[in-house]
Amino acid sequence: MRLGETPPIPSVRTLAKTTAWALLVAVAILVTIVLPAEYNRDPLGTGRALGLTRLSAPPVAEPVARPAGGVVLAPQQRGPAAVYPAPFKTDSTQFVLGPYEFVEYKYHLAKGATMLYSWKGSAPVIHDFHGDEDGSIDSPVSYDKKGSDQEAGEFTAPFSGIHGWYWENPGAETITITITSAGFYSSALEFRSDHTRRQHDLTSPAATSAAPAK
């Protein structure tokens, strides 16, 4: 084209093709990057592969509360036995996950403290058993990471911090997860995909047995 000449007007067909390609690129960016990173919606699984879903997860920051009186539930080894300064706790809870939702559920354990656990889902879920050390942010240590619908086992905390599970519903159907546990943990925290968090009440078997019958 020479200087001063009017540039040619694109044909309707060319404009339609350009617009269609632009829309396709925008939709691809929305589904693969924006939804996982900003809204924790990951229909194609690209957010998990790229580590984007953790960007939209609620922050796991301050350490959770210790038992009354500031007692640290750390074990003292006496030969083959480990003795704790307070009774163990028990917990039983259930979570309902809508399509592509996730929940994190973690217990605070001192280094060397143990717990027994068993969880089951009504369908397979994306599963990551991991821990966050006290005072550490965004540096989780993964212990077991795979898709599953149930697991049972025992756990000894390698460091003081919150330890537990990330469960994500990978499909369009609602999934229910039930977990029961017993151990020398001091508290339990729930983190949801909608950025809410709450602390769960735990049960002391010693306190339950000492309560008067009604």
Side-chain angles (χ1 to χ4, degrees):
M1 183 181 66
R2 295 180 181 179
L3 185 63
E5 289 184 355
T6 303
I9 300 175
S11 66
V12 174
R13 183 177 180 182
T14 300
L15 285 174
K17 289 174 63 177
T18 303
T19 303
W21 277 110
L23 285 173
L24 286 174
V25 171
V27 169
I29 293 175
L30 175 67
V31 173
T32 59
I33 297 177
V34 177
L35 288 180
E38 296 294 333
Y39 303 99
N40 195 52
R41 294 293 183 267
D42 193 18
L44 301 181
T46 53
R48 293 188 298 274
L50 298 174
L52 298 175
T53 51
R54 296 199 69 87
L55 297 178
S56 59
V60 178
E62 68 266 21
V64 290
R66 292 176 176 174
V71 178
V72 178
L73 293 178
Q76 295 182 355
Q77 249 359 94
R78 296 182 183 174
V83 180
Y84 291 80
F88 68 89
K89 298 289 197 307
T90 62
D91 183 36
S92 180
T93 192
Q94 193 172 79
F95 306 102
V96 177
L97 298 180
Y100 311 110
E101 289 183 343
F102 75 79
V103 64
E104 287 193 72
Y105 193 54
K106 297 179 179 179
Y107 298 102
H108 188 274
L109 295 105
K111 181 178 180 180
T114 60
M115 70 172 175
L116 300 174
Y117 63 88
S118 176
W119 67 265
K120 182 175 178 60
S122 57
V125 293
I126 296 167
H127 157 240
D128 184 3
F129 183 30
H130 62 282
D132 296 87
E133 190 170 3
D134 283 342
S136 175
I137 299 177
D138 294 330
S139 300
V141 177
S142 183
Y143 312 129
D144 183 25
K145 189 174 184 178
K146 64 179 183 300
S148 180
D149 64 351
Q150 61 182 315
E151 190 169 272
E154 61 177 329
F155 174 74
T156 301
F159 49 78
S160 294
I162 50 177
H163 309 266
W165 299 266
Y166 170 96
W167 294 297
E168 183 178 337
N169 181 353
E173 301 297 327
T174 299
I175 294 177
T176 300
I177 296 174
T178 303
I179 180 170
T180 56
S181 68
F184 291 95
Y185 38 64
S186 58
S187 54
L189 273 179
E190 172 188 344
F191 306 86
R192 302 289 302 206
S193 50
D194 60 2
H195 292 249
T196 59
R197 57 180 290 172
R198 73 183 183 93
Q199 187 162 322
H200 284 237
D201 293 329
L202 301 171
T203 302
S204 171
T208 303
S209 62
K214 295 184 180 180

